[in-house]
Amino acid sequence: MRYADCASESHNEKAFCELMERELTGMGIPFKRQPLCNEVVTDGWNILARVPGKKGERPFLFVFHLDTATPGSPVKSYIEDGLIRSRANSVLGADGKLAIAVVMEAISQARKEGTSHRPIELLFTVCQELGLYGARYADYSGIESEEALVIDHYITGEVLERTPARLKVSVELIGRAAHVIRNEEPGVNALKAAVEIIQQIPTGRINENLSINVYDLVALSPSNVVPEYARFDVEVRCFGKEIMEEIRTRMGQTVRQTAEKLECKYKYREEQDVPEADFSGNTDILKRLEAIYDRTGIPMVKARSFGVLDATWTDRLGIRTVPIGFNIYHSHSAKEYVVVEDVKKMFELAENIIRYF
């Protein structure tokens, strides 16, 4: 709750970065700041820490994100009926901070009790919610780990084997402005063209392999002028290269054909900013995790998620990674909550990971 109450919306993680540095200092854990390049717009920074462990053993890496979704400032957490929530119209920020709190407490207890374990590296990233920017542009040169765990899924017991590719599309329509009463030189309504294109794009969870969202429709114009300009964005999350290529082709054709029919100029830009990730090949990690889940009394379930995670970049860069989950309900909304009894089980799981992974 103390972590949750330290607001850290994406772009504005500085206060929470400083809090985590105080936490690490108080626990006697050495760390280094990682300032980020200009591609990452933030007042914060990544943090890389290392918890000493058994001599001669390779460390493993936990990856956490420091930022939370919006609205996340201010946050005032409270407990009622065994649930941890946030007051007013704010996310709790458990997405990100629950994993940090549980693992930090487990490490603290292990150090107090002198528990034997492998060395542990901790990478705290910023701007994850905006596109995994902290992980994408992190400095990995100081990381010795060859294995990583990323706790950034919403169901305790689920271990992710796949996460999707993400495609970002930006569409601009340029029509022709005109006064609404001029018949001899009628305008070309860019907003109408944008809406007609949007109507042809399926949205929501299309099927088990495809999710599409349309957002940020903008067209500013006086009431007596035909809108000359409109724009909107589309996010596609997808499993499978063939499906992605089909969607890209179909969406591009829809924009071109509709714009030409309505006599609009257009600009169409796309970027696949997150590649699809397959963690199922990390079989030895999955086998060890299954034994740890059994020891904790939690059935381990192999799953996949439409979420995009920092795990994509660590695994892609050669640190073999598996994402796992902790129970969070209604994440990314003001209804978000965590069950106190669940946290106790998560803590036991984290302790066993530290001891036996």
Side-chain angles (χ1 to χ4, degrees):
M1 292 171 67
R2 183 162 54 87
Y3 289 179
D5 290 348
C6 183
S8 58
E9 292 179 339
S10 303
H11 296 312
N12 298 290
E13 300 96 339
K14 180 181 179 180
F16 194 44
C17 290
E18 293 172 338
L19 173 56
M20 291 312 304
E21 289 182 342
R22 291 194 297 271
E23 296 283 278
L24 292 164
T25 299
M27 292 169 64
I29 298 173
F31 65 88
K32 289 184 179 180
R33 285 188 183 185
Q34 288 191 353
L36 291 150
C37 58
N38 292 334
E39 282 82 356
V40 188
V41 181
T42 177
D43 62 2
W45 49 85
N46 288 352
I47 302 170
L48 177 62
R50 183 176 173 117
V51 182
K54 296 178 185 176
K55 291 184 178 180
E57 292 207 13
R58 299 288 298 181
F60 72 93
L61 175 69
F62 277 115
V63 183
F64 310 101
H65 65 90
L66 298 164
D67 60 319
T68 68
T70 56
S73 181
V75 181
K76 296 182 179 179
S77 59
Y78 68 100
I79 297 178
E80 183 175 85
D81 299 326
L83 308 180
I84 305 174
R85 300 181 182 272
S86 176
R87 299 189 187 280
N89 184 34
S90 172
V91 301
L92 176 63
D95 180 0
K97 292 179 178 178
L98 174 62
I100 297 173
V102 169
V103 172
M104 289 289 283
E105 181 64 18
I107 289 172
S108 177
Q109 290 298 318
R111 289 168 68 79
K112 287 177 184 177
E113 296 168 5
T115 302
S116 178
H117 59 77
R118 293 167 61 183
I120 302 169
E121 294 181 312
L122 308 170
L123 178 62
F124 302 88
T125 69
V126 295
C127 292
Q128 186 271 352
E129 297 288 359
L130 300 178
L132 317 181
Y133 287 106
R136 184 175 181 177
Y137 294 103
D139 179 1
Y140 292 93
S141 62
I143 294 177
E144 297 180 17
S145 298
E146 296 175 351
E147 301 173 339
L149 298 176
V150 177
I151 309 172
D152 196 14
H153 179 55
Y154 309 144
I155 302 174
T156 302
E158 287 198 349
V159 173
L160 300 184
E161 291 190 305
R162 291 178 69 191
T163 54
R166 182 170 70 178
L167 177 72
K168 292 286 191 73
V169 176
S170 176
V171 179
E172 294 181 76
L173 287 307
I174 302 95
R176 185 171 60 251
H179 195 285
V180 294
I181 65 172
R182 290 176 62 178
N183 291 324
E184 69 280 6
E185 293 183 37
V188 175
N189 193 314
L191 175 57
K192 183 178 179 180
V195 170
E196 187 164 328
I197 292 168
I198 290 170
Q199 286 178 326
Q200 297 175 71
I201 300 173
T203 57
R205 183 68 57 83
I206 310 304
N207 54 49
E208 63 180 6
N209 293 313
L210 180 62
S211 174
I212 302 177
N213 185 44
V214 176
Y215 64 104
D216 283 354
L217 172 62
V218 177
L220 302 177
S221 177
S223 64
N224 63 344
V225 176
V226 174
E228 181 181 24
Y229 177 85
R231 68 170 308 280
F232 65 90
D233 296 311
V234 184
E235 183 198 76
V236 179
R237 300 190 185 200
C238 180
F239 293 97
K241 291 182 179 179
E242 291 182 1
I243 297 173
M244 179 65 82
E245 287 306 311
E246 180 185 348
I247 290 298
R248 294 170 76 166
T249 299
R250 189 188 309 167
M251 199 175 303
Q253 288 176 345
T254 298
V255 172
R256 175 177 56 80
Q257 292 171 358
T258 305
E260 289 176 355
K261 181 183 73 172
L262 298 177
E263 299 181 344
C264 262
K265 297 177 182 178
Y266 70 93
K267 293 180 181 179
Y268 181 91
R269 293 188 298 274
E270 62 179 40
E271 177 194 8
Q272 186 174 314
D273 66 334
V274 179
E276 185 173 346
D278 184 349
F279 310 104
S280 63
N282 299 319
T283 52
D284 58 325
I285 296 178
L286 291 167
K287 186 175 181 179
R288 273 180 279 143
L289 281 174
E290 189 166 19
I292 291 169
Y293 277 86
D294 285 344
R295 182 184 290 272
T296 313
I298 300 173
M300 190 182 95
V301 179
K302 295 177 182 178
R304 67 178 192 173
S305 168
F306 271 97
V308 292
L309 313 176
D310 285 347
T312 297
W313 291 111
T314 52
D315 196 69
R316 192 175 181 84
L317 291 167
I319 304 172
R320 296 184 306 115
T321 305
V322 172
I324 67 176
F326 279 175
N327 283 350
I328 302 173
Y329 300 89
H330 299 294
S331 181
H332 283 218
S333 81
K335 295 180 180 179
E336 183 181 23
Y337 70 87
V338 172
V339 179
V340 173
E341 287 300 316
D342 287 350
V343 179
K344 296 177 182 179
K345 203 64 179 177
M346 298 171 201
F347 174 71
E348 184 182 349
L349 176 61
E351 282 191 310
N352 284 333
I353 288 173
I354 289 168
R355 287 191 182 101
Y356 304 113
F357 183 67

